[in-house]
């Protein structure tokens, strides 16, 4: 299982390096994040993103005040987002 998680982490790290930006639509509006690192939290593989302070996205300040600068996604959540973005 550990080998599988290491392989998955390396694979996701490469995808995120190639396409480091994501845009999330929230109930407050859209915000932009930049890939930071692949990490483990509570023995779970997560992708860490940092909130970008981009004036194009009006919800940035609100999101920053509500949840902070960091966003963590599970691999399945990221791949769904990545696939949706690629198809859009």
């Amino acid at each position: 299982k550990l080998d599988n998680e290491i392989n998955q982490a390396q694979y996701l790290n490469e995808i995120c390096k190639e396409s480091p930006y994501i845009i999330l639509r929230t109930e407050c509006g859209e915000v932009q994040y930049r890939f930071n690192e692949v990490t483990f939290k509570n023995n779970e593989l997560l992708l860490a993103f940092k909130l970008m302070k981009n004036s194009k996205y009006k919800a940035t300040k609100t999101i920053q005040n509500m949840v902070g600068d960091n966003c963590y996604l599970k691999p399945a959540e990221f791949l769904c987002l990545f696939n949706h973005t690629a198809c859009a």
Side-chain angles (χ1 to χ4, degrees):
K1 180 179 174 170
L2 181 59
D3 284 342
N4 185 35
E5 286 183 348
I6 290 170
N7 287 338
Q8 186 178 23
Q10 290 171 336
Y11 173 70
L12 290 168
N13 193 53
E14 288 303 312
I15 290 174
C16 291
K17 282 183 181 177
E18 290 293 317
S19 299
Y21 296 99
I22 61 171
I23 297 168
L24 295 181
R25 250 185 226 127
T26 72
E27 57 190 44
C28 298
E30 291 184 345
V31 290
Q32 183 182 38
Y33 286 89
R34 186 181 199 319
F35 173 69
N36 190 35
E37 66 181 342
V38 174
T39 188
F40 284 88
K41 204 173 203 177
N42 298 325
N43 292 325
E44 185 174 30
L45 178 66
L46 296 172
L47 298 151
F49 292 85
K50 278 278 198 202
L51 183 65
M52 300 298 300
K53 292 165 180 80
N54 185 333
S55 60
K56 177 181 174 185
Y57 300 98
K58 306 296 182 209
T60 300
K61 200 79 158 154
T62 303
I63 293 297
Q64 185 178 28
N65 291 335
M66 290 175 70
V67 296
D69 290 331
N70 299 309
C71 172
Y72 296 94
L73 297 176
K74 295 177 183 178
E77 293 169 332
F78 171 74
L79 291 173
C80 180
L81 176 68
F82 187 78
N83 184 46
H84 178 73
T85 303
C87 293

